[in-house]
Amino acid sequence: MSELILIAIGTALVNNVVLSQFLGLCPFLGVSKKVNTAAGMGVAVIFVITLASAVSSAIDIYLLKPYGVDYLETIVFILVIAALVQFVEMFLKKYVPPLYNSLGVYLPLITTNCAVLGVAITNVQKGYDIVTGIVNGFSTALGFTIAIIILAGIREKMEYNDIPEAFKGMPITLVTAGLMAIAFCGFAGIL
């Protein structure tokens, strides 16, 4: 149990998928203008990464490795992720249309979000069982959600600040993300 807690804290804070591994930057920068939209994207990513971790770990352990076709992992994982994202997209379109509309093109981009595929591959490379893979996936997605919500909150506050013209828009966002990455390095002392 303590190993799972260490994996969860380490993955969410110390080895944050966005701020230390630099995976998933497209939605991190694109959807972080408003906190509500960022939170919605975070929930969608939590759902997709957690389920993708569970399904891809099960497929790898019970199908690919026993039949000696583990070289197909990447292709199979991409198909699993694409199917899960389609499910999330259909659900949001039907039951939460405002969130679906605010996420726009970034929702289908979860399919190609390298963080989702990166977690599935990491679970296999580290030899995690299904439960450990799910914990790793959930913690990765939680770390992504924490980072995107913090950035969105800062960006909302920065709208009212007097920023030099050269830094307006994406430059100040990148500087802020860099400072956040440095701040998250402070969590390394926890473990």
Side-chain angles (χ1 to χ4, degrees):
M1 184 63 159
S2 62
E3 181 184 339
L4 292 178
I5 293 171
L6 285 174
I7 288 173
I9 293 171
T11 303
L13 299 176
V14 178
N15 297 318
N16 187 285
V17 69
V18 176
L19 300 174
S20 70
Q21 297 177 9
F22 305 114
L23 297 175
L25 288 175
C26 179
F28 177 69
L29 296 172
V31 185
S32 61
K33 292 181 182 176
K34 300 288 178 197
V35 172
N36 291 340
T37 308
M41 175 59 96
V43 169
V45 168
I46 286 173
F47 180 77
V48 169
I49 289 182
T50 304
L51 272 180
S53 294
V55 173
S56 60
S57 291
I59 288 173
D60 185 61
I61 291 169
Y62 297 115
L63 288 177
L64 299 179
K65 285 186 179 168
Y67 292 107
V69 290
D70 43 340
Y71 56 88
L72 295 175
E73 287 169 346
T74 304
I75 295 169
V76 171
F77 294 168
I78 289 171
L79 293 174
V80 166
I81 292 165
L84 288 172
V85 170
Q86 287 300 310
F87 174 72
V88 169
E89 189 172 5
M90 290 186 306
F91 177 82
L92 289 178
K93 188 174 185 178
K94 184 169 183 166
Y95 295 108
V96 195
L99 179 58
Y100 173 80
N101 293 330
S102 67
L103 291 175
V105 72
Y106 293 102
L107 184 58
L109 282 177
I110 294 175
T111 303
T112 59
N113 186 342
C114 53
V116 183
L117 182 59
V119 171
I121 292 173
T122 299
N123 288 343
V124 170
Q125 286 177 343
K126 291 190 175 183
Y128 289 160
D129 60 4
I130 295 175
V131 173
T132 308
I134 291 171
V135 168
N136 185 50
F138 178 78
S139 301
T140 300
L142 183 64
F144 175 87
T145 303
I146 290 168
I148 196 171
I149 289 174
I150 290 171
L151 182 64
I154 293 171
R155 286 181 77 176
E156 279 186 1
K157 296 289 183 189
M158 282 192 307
E159 283 183 31
Y160 306 108
N161 293 341
D162 187 28
I163 298 171
E165 193 65 35
F167 283 102
K168 286 187 179 177
M170 195 52 66
I172 194 69
T173 302
L174 292 172
V175 169
T176 304
L179 292 172
M180 284 176 58
I182 293 169
F184 268 65
C185 286
F187 289 120
I190 290 176
L191 299 178

